[in-house]
Amino acid sequence: MRVLGIETSCDETGVALFDSEHGLLADALHSQTDLHAVYGGVVPELASRDHVRRLLPLIEQIFTEAGLRRGDVDAIAYTAGPGLIGALMVGASTAHGLARAWQVPVLGVHHMEGHLLAPMLEETRPEFPFVALLVSGGHTQLVEVRGIGCYRLLGESVDDAAGEAFDKTARMLELPYPGGPHVSRLAEQGNPERFRFPRPMTDRPGLDFSFSGLKTHTLTTLRQLQAAHGVNEQDRADVARAFEEAVIDTLVIKCRRALEQTGLTRLVAAGGVSANQRLRQRLEAALAKRGAGVWYPRGRFCTDNGAMIAYAGTQRLLAGERDPGPMRAVARWPLHELTAPLTTPAV
């Protein structure tokens, strides 16, 4: 089965062609980073308008790259949620319009299921079951994964997600948007011994996350430095390092705890924050000590992309799933509401 995947949940327009026998045929991505950077965050209306401008040209591009004619697909998958409702509607309406024109089935895909399955696009893929750490945008979740659609939520952020905390800390440090990569680069120059920030919710049982207190601690530290002598470049680097170390330690502690509680030995880390190299190194070291392994998507598939939606959609389309009627676009959609396909597709 050859599937066109469309991703428009937030500020990246992603499209891809995936073939169930031959793998990924082509993919393209347009990031709106420059568009939103001047505002310090995503402006939903601007995001929707840019998706309208970019989507069809990107689809044309990947058909050309794959050497296919327009409409030479068996089905279309699109992100139905969660995300910005206006942005989602651009992708959903385009998918349904093309599906009707090309007379092929169409299916709305859960954005986080796409991230969760993104490592399946790699040559070395994890086997089920595994624990998934999903750190994407406004989500930080630990999920027990027994198979496609067989998900049990183990823990999630009760306030700010890790990605949101990175972006807000970047603003405190007067760094550009999006904040995560800039905080990490600044942290490389920081002294890890100077500050030790709290590792939130690691001193109690459970697998939930909370990063709002860490954000407040960062702000308090910067204000104290400002009152004492002003904040210089080394101060900013040291604060960035302390913040990043606290986030990484917290994620690693919770991942290790999740594997211990479930008895599993495989971890998948996906979503934008999973591209952080220090996080990857720390996870690999911590899990190796207990005989566990960790899998990631390649860097460009950590952020939102069409390939993960095409892949996730293909698995459910192969099992016979289809949109039952009108297009679907939902801003909120808990992952645990998903169910397993009626038949088991070959992954």
Side-chain angles (χ1 to χ4, degrees):
M1 175 179 278
R2 188 181 296 146
V3 175
L4 167 65
I6 296 173
E7 156 61 26
T8 62
S9 65
C10 190
D11 60 341
E12 280 148 334
T13 311
V15 296
L17 288 166
F18 183 84
D19 189 296
S20 57
E21 294 185 7
H22 303 289
L24 187 64
L25 304 179
D27 71 285
L29 180 72
H30 173 75
S31 172
Q32 300 177 2
T33 297
D34 293 342
L35 176 66
H36 300 290
V38 66
Y39 303 102
V42 178
V43 180
E45 178 63 21
L46 294 181
S48 302
R49 289 174 181 269
D50 201 58
H51 287 310
V52 171
R53 283 192 294 268
R54 307 288 181 177
L55 187 51
L56 289 179
L58 285 175
I59 291 173
E60 292 272 9
Q61 177 183 326
I62 61 169
F63 274 104
T64 300
E65 289 178 2
L68 299 174
R69 295 172 299 174
R70 279 183 296 172
D72 198 4
V73 293
D74 301 302
I76 300 174
Y78 66 94
T79 302
L84 301 176
I85 192 64
L88 290 167
M89 289 180 67
V90 175
S93 58
T94 301
H96 271 261
L98 291 176
R100 176 164 294 192
W102 296 341
Q103 297 185 329
V104 296
V106 61
L107 178 67
V109 172
H110 194 291
H111 178 76
M112 298 308 292
E113 183 170 59
H115 277 299
L116 187 152
L117 296 176
M120 300 299 186
L121 291 162
E122 306 305 324
E123 276 191 34
T124 304
R125 300 183 287 185
E127 296 180 0
F128 297 117
F130 54 77
V131 170
L133 170 67
L134 302 177
V135 274
S136 169
H139 299 86
T140 301
Q141 298 177 323
L142 280 166
V143 182
E144 182 181 3
V145 180
R146 292 286 169 180
I148 293 176
C150 299
Y151 309 133
R152 180 168 71 97
L153 182 65
L154 302 172
E156 62 183 340
S157 51
V158 298
D159 42 53
D160 283 358
E164 291 173 320
F166 265 105
D167 284 340
K168 292 175 181 177
T169 296
R171 285 200 289 273
M172 295 177 206
L173 294 169
E174 299 178 353
L175 296 171
Y177 171 86
H182 294 286
V183 171
S184 295
R185 279 194 288 271
L186 182 60
E188 291 175 5
Q189 311 304 318
N191 176 5
E193 306 300 325
R194 183 177 178 190
F195 299 112
R196 179 174 172 82
F197 286 6
R199 276 60 173 160
M201 297 183 72
T202 58
D203 59 349
R204 67 189 80 173
L207 295 170
D208 284 336
F209 300 89
S210 169
F211 293 105
S212 65
L214 178 59
K215 176 193 65 181
T216 302
H217 188 90
T218 303
L219 179 61
T220 300
T221 302
L222 287 168
R223 285 176 173 172
Q224 290 172 343
L225 290 168
Q226 182 64 44
H229 55 69
V231 179
N232 60 37
E233 191 63 19
Q234 189 58 52
D235 292 332
R236 294 169 67 245
D238 292 345
V239 168
R241 182 62 178 266
F243 169 81
E244 185 182 52
E245 290 286 340
V247 172
I248 289 173
D249 278 355
T250 300
L251 294 174
V252 171
I253 289 167
K254 296 285 186 171
C255 286
R256 189 173 61 234
R257 190 179 293 177
L259 291 172
E260 290 169 355
Q261 290 186 12
T262 59
L264 299 177
T265 58
R266 289 181 287 270
L267 176 78
V268 158
V273 179
S274 73
N276 183 291
Q277 292 304 306
R278 193 170 285 118
L279 172 62
R280 292 190 175 202
Q281 293 164 7
R282 205 73 61 80
L283 280 173
E284 289 165 7
L287 269 56
K289 291 178 182 177
R290 64 185 310 274
V294 57
W295 284 259
Y296 319 92
R298 72 196 77 168
R300 66 193 179 97
F301 292 156
C302 288
T303 56
D304 297 348
N305 63 88
M308 68 181 192
I309 300 304
Y311 178 85
T314 297
Q315 306 316 306
R316 290 186 173 274
L317 286 158
L318 284 171
E321 292 192 20
R322 308 286 189 270
D323 271 6
M327 68 177 191
R328 183 175 191 186
V330 286
R332 297 183 181 275
W333 186 4
L335 183 64
H336 60 78
E337 290 184 358
L338 294 180
T339 57
L342 295 178
T343 60
T344 305
V347 224

